[in-house]
Amino acid sequence: MKGFQFNLNRVLDVRKLEEQLSRNRLLGEKHKAAQIEGKLEELNHKQHKIYNYLREKDNEITVEEMLQTRNFIHRQRRQIKQVSGKLSEQMAEVDKCNTEFIEKKKKKEILEKLKEKEYQQYRQELFRKEQQLIDEINQQLKKGRWFE
């Protein structure tokens, strides 16, 4: 009897590759989201610094400085809003990639379970045949035919 061979082994290999590619894409999208979050944190930090500066220099600021600061704050707010939008889009992409990854993983796991089930059936059949052979040899030994 030949060794165990899973008929869908190539399909399983493809599913493993698809899962790995999907995992890599997910990790890439998560990395992009982290970069965007870092930029958003940086922009928020700058804005807080400006607010703190304004509080410290409350009575010492000229009108020109006040106008420049006001314009800067408006630009910062627009940038924060824009980056927040990008982050939302990126998180949606991360969710989409995560769903795709889970789907690919499930498909691979189904084939792996099928392979394990078929292997267990193969082993049972092999053990059954071995037991039949042992029983046959015992029968022949009892009858004394073994040496004939």
Coordinates of all heavy atoms in Angstrom, one line a residue, residues 104-138:
K104 N -9.9 34.1 3.8 CA -8.9 33.2 3.3 C -8.4 32.2 4.3 O -8.1 31.1 3.9 CB -7.7 34.1 2.8 CG -8.0 35.1 1.8 CD -8.2 34.6 0.4 CE -8.4 35.7 -0.6 NZ -8.7 35.2 -1.9
K105 N -8.3 32.6 5.5 CA -7.8 31.7 6.6 C -8.8 30.6 6.8 O -8.5 29.5 7.0 CB -7.6 32.5 7.9 CG -7.0 31.7 9.0 CD -6.7 32.6 10.2 CE -6.1 31.8 11.3 NZ -5.7 32.6 12.4
K106 N -10.1 30.9 6.8 CA -11.2 29.9 6.9 C -11.1 28.9 5.8 O -11.3 27.7 6.1 CB -12.6 30.6 7.0 CG -12.9 31.2 8.3 CD -14.3 31.8 8.3 CE -14.6 32.5 9.6 NZ -15.9 33.2 9.6
K107 N -11.0 29.4 4.6 CA -10.9 28.5 3.4 C -9.7 27.5 3.6 O -9.8 26.3 3.3 CB -10.8 29.2 2.1 CG -12.0 29.9 1.7 CD -11.9 30.6 0.4 CE -13.1 31.2 -0.1 NZ -13.0 31.9 -1.4
K108 N -8.6 28.0 4.0 CA -7.4 27.2 4.2 C -7.6 26.2 5.4 O -7.3 25.0 5.2 CB -6.2 28.1 4.6 CG -4.9 27.2 4.8 CD -3.9 28.0 5.6 CE -4.3 28.1 7.0 NZ -3.3 28.3 8.0
E109 N -8.2 26.6 6.4 CA -8.5 25.7 7.6 C -9.5 24.6 7.2 O -9.3 23.5 7.7 CB -9.0 26.5 8.8 CG -7.9 27.4 9.4 CD -8.4 28.3 10.5 OE1 -9.7 28.4 10.7 OE2 -7.6 28.9 11.2
I110 N -10.4 24.9 6.4 CA -11.4 23.9 5.9 C -10.6 22.8 5.2 O -10.8 21.6 5.5 CB -12.5 24.5 5.0 CG1 -13.4 25.3 5.9 CG2 -13.2 23.4 4.3 CD1 -14.4 26.2 5.1
L111 N -9.7 23.2 4.3 CA -8.9 22.2 3.6 C -8.0 21.4 4.5 O -7.8 20.2 4.3 CB -8.2 22.8 2.4 CG -8.9 23.1 1.2 CD1 -8.1 23.7 0.1 CD2 -9.5 21.8 0.6
E112 N -7.4 22.1 5.5 CA -6.5 21.4 6.4 C -7.3 20.4 7.2 O -6.8 19.3 7.5 CB -5.9 22.4 7.3 CG -4.7 23.2 6.7 CD -4.1 24.2 7.5 OE1 -4.8 24.7 8.5 OE2 -3.0 24.6 7.2
K113 N -8.5 20.7 7.6 CA -9.4 19.8 8.4 C -9.8 18.6 7.5 O -9.8 17.4 8.0 CB -10.6 20.5 8.9 CG -10.4 21.4 10.1 CD -11.7 22.1 10.5 CE -11.4 23.1 11.6 NZ -12.6 23.8 12.1
L114 N -10.1 18.9 6.3 CA -10.4 17.8 5.3 C -9.2 16.9 5.2 O -9.3 15.6 5.2 CB -10.8 18.3 4.0 CG -11.1 17.3 2.9 CD1 -12.3 16.5 3.3 CD2 -11.5 18.0 1.6
K115 N -8.0 17.4 5.0 CA -6.8 16.7 4.9 C -6.6 15.8 6.1 O -6.2 14.6 6.0 CB -5.6 17.6 4.7 CG -4.3 16.8 4.5 CD -3.1 17.8 4.3 CE -1.8 17.1 4.1 NZ -0.7 18.0 3.9
E116 N -6.7 16.4 7.3 CA -6.6 15.6 8.5 C -7.6 14.5 8.6 O -7.3 13.3 9.0 CB -6.7 16.5 9.8 CG -6.5 15.9 11.1 CD -5.2 15.2 11.3 OE1 -4.2 15.7 10.7 OE2 -5.1 14.2 12.0
K117 N -8.8 14.7 8.2 CA -9.9 13.7 8.3 C -9.5 12.6 7.3 O -9.6 11.4 7.7 CB -11.2 14.3 7.9 CG -12.4 13.4 8.0 CD -13.7 14.1 7.6 CE -14.8 13.2 7.7 NZ -16.1 13.8 7.3
E118 N -9.1 12.9 6.1 CA -8.7 11.9 5.1 C -7.5 11.1 5.6 O -7.4 9.9 5.4 CB -8.4 12.5 3.8 CG -9.7 12.9 3.0 CD -9.4 13.4 1.6 OE1 -8.3 13.2 1.1 OE2 -10.3 14.0 1.0
Y119 N -6.6 11.8 6.3 CA -5.4 11.1 6.8 C -5.8 10.1 7.9 O -5.3 9.0 8.0 CB -4.4 12.1 7.4 CG -3.2 11.4 8.0 CD1 -2.2 10.8 7.2 CD2 -3.0 11.4 9.3 CE1 -1.1 10.1 7.7 CE2 -1.9 10.8 9.9 CZ -0.9 10.1 9.1 OH 0.1 9.5 9.6
Q120 N -6.7 10.5 8.8 CA -7.2 9.6 9.8 C -7.9 8.4 9.2 O -7.7 7.3 9.7 CB -8.1 10.4 10.8 CG -7.4 11.4 11.6 CD -6.3 10.9 12.5 OE1 -6.3 9.7 13.0 NE2 -5.2 11.6 12.6
Q121 N -8.7 8.6 8.2 CA -9.3 7.5 7.5 C -8.3 6.5 6.9 O -8.4 5.3 7.0 CB -10.3 8.0 6.4 CG -11.5 8.6 7.0 CD -12.4 9.3 5.9 OE1 -11.9 9.5 4.7 NE2 -13.6 9.6 6.2
Y122 N -7.3 7.1 6.3 CA -6.2 6.3 5.7 C -5.5 5.5 6.8 O -5.3 4.3 6.6 CB -5.2 7.3 5.0 CG -3.8 6.6 4.7 CD1 -3.7 5.8 3.6 CD2 -2.7 6.8 5.5 CE1 -2.5 5.2 3.3 CE2 -1.5 6.2 5.2 CZ -1.4 5.4 4.1 OH -0.2 4.8 3.8
R123 N -5.2 6.1 7.9 CA -4.6 5.4 9.0 C -5.5 4.2 9.5 O -5.0 3.1 9.8 CB -4.2 6.3 10.2 CG -3.0 7.2 9.9 CD -2.6 8.0 11.1 NE -2.3 7.1 12.2 CZ -2.4 7.5 13.5 NH1 -2.9 8.6 13.8 NH2 -2.1 6.6 14.4
Q124 N -6.7 4.5 9.7 CA -7.7 3.4 10.1 C -7.7 2.3 9.2 O -7.7 1.1 9.6 CB -9.1 4.0 10.3 CG -9.2 4.9 11.5 CD -10.6 5.5 11.7 OE1 -11.4 5.4 10.7 NE2 -10.9 6.1 12.8
E125 N -7.7 2.6 7.9 CA -7.7 1.6 6.8 C -6.4 0.8 6.9 O -6.4 -0.5 6.8 CB -7.9 2.2 5.5 CG -8.0 1.2 4.3 CD -9.2 0.2 4.4 OE1 -10.2 0.5 5.0 OE2 -9.1 -0.8 3.7
L126 N -5.3 1.5 7.1 CA -4.0 0.8 7.1 C -4.0 -0.1 8.4 O -3.5 -1.3 8.3 CB -2.9 1.9 7.2 CG -1.5 1.4 7.2 CD1 -1.2 0.7 5.9 CD2 -0.5 2.5 7.4
F127 N -4.4 0.4 9.5 CA -4.4 -0.5 10.7 C -5.4 -1.7 10.5 O -5.0 -2.8 11.0 CB -4.9 0.4 11.9 CG -3.8 1.4 12.4 CD1 -4.3 2.6 12.9 CD2 -2.5 1.1 12.3 CE1 -3.3 3.5 13.3 CE2 -1.6 2.1 12.7 CZ -2.0 3.3 13.2
R128 N -6.5 -1.5 9.9 CA -7.4 -2.5 9.6 C -6.8 -3.6 8.8 O -6.9 -4.8 9.1 CB -8.7 -2.0 9.0 CG -9.8 -3.1 8.9 CD -11.0 -2.5 8.1 NE -10.7 -2.1 6.7 CZ -10.5 -3.0 5.7 NH1 -10.6 -4.3 5.9 NH2 -10.3 -2.5 4.5
K129 N -6.1 -3.2 7.7 CA -5.4 -4.2 6.8 C -4.3 -4.9 7.6 O -4.1 -6.1 7.4 CB -4.9 -3.5 5.6 CG -6.0 -3.1 4.6 CD -5.5 -2.6 3.4 CE -6.7 -2.2 2.4 NZ -6.2 -1.8 1.1
E130 N -3.5 -4.1 8.4 CA -2.5 -4.8 9.2 C -3.0 -5.8 10.1 O -2.5 -6.9 10.3 CB -1.7 -3.7 10.0 CG -0.7 -2.9 9.1 CD 0.0 -1.8 9.9 OE1 -0.3 -1.6 11.1 OE2 0.8 -1.2 9.4
Q131 N -4.2 -5.5 10.8 CA -4.8 -6.4 11.7 C -5.3 -7.7 10.9 O -5.2 -8.8 11.5 CB -6.0 -5.7 12.4 CG -6.5 -6.6 13.6 CD -5.5 -6.9 14.6 OE1 -4.7 -6.0 15.0 NE2 -5.4 -8.1 15.0
Q132 N -5.8 -7.5 9.7 CA -6.3 -8.6 8.9 C -5.1 -9.5 8.6 O -5.2 -10.8 8.7 CB -6.9 -8.2 7.6 CG -8.3 -7.7 7.8 CD -8.9 -7.2 6.4 OE1 -8.2 -7.0 5.5 NE2 -10.2 -7.1 6.4
L133 N -4.0 -8.9 8.3 CA -2.8 -9.7 7.9 C -2.2 -10.4 9.2 O -1.9 -11.6 9.1 CB -1.7 -8.7 7.4 CG -0.4 -9.4 6.9 CD1 -0.7 -10.4 5.8 CD2 0.6 -8.4 6.5
I134 N -2.2 -9.8 10.3 CA -1.8 -10.5 11.5 C -2.8 -11.6 11.9 O -2.3 -12.7 12.2 CB -1.8 -9.4 12.7 CG1 -0.6 -8.5 12.5 CG2 -1.6 -10.1 14.0 CD1 -0.6 -7.3 13.4
D135 N -4.1 -11.4 11.7 CA -5.0 -12.4 12.0 C -4.8 -13.6 11.1 O -4.9 -14.8 11.5 CB -6.5 -11.9 11.9 CG -6.8 -10.9 13.0 OD1 -6.1 -10.9 14.0 OD2 -7.8 -10.2 12.9
E136 N -4.6 -13.3 9.8 CA -4.4 -14.4 8.8 C -3.1 -15.2 9.1 O -3.1 -16.4 9.1 CB -4.2 -13.8 7.4 CG -4.2 -14.8 6.3 CD -4.1 -14.1 4.9 OE1 -4.9 -13.2 4.7 OE2 -3.2 -14.5 4.2
I137 N -2.0 -14.5 9.5 CA -0.8 -15.2 9.9 C -1.1 -16.1 11.1 O -0.6 -17.2 11.2 CB 0.3 -14.2 10.2 CG1 0.8 -13.5 8.9 CG2 1.5 -14.9 10.9 CD1 1.7 -12.4 9.0
N138 N -1.8 -15.6 12.1 CA -2.1 -16.3 13.3 C -2.9 -17.6 13.0 O -2.7 -18.7 13.5 CB -2.9 -15.5 14.3 CG -1.9 -14.6 15.1 OD1 -0.8 -14.9 15.3 ND2 -2.5 -13.5 15.7

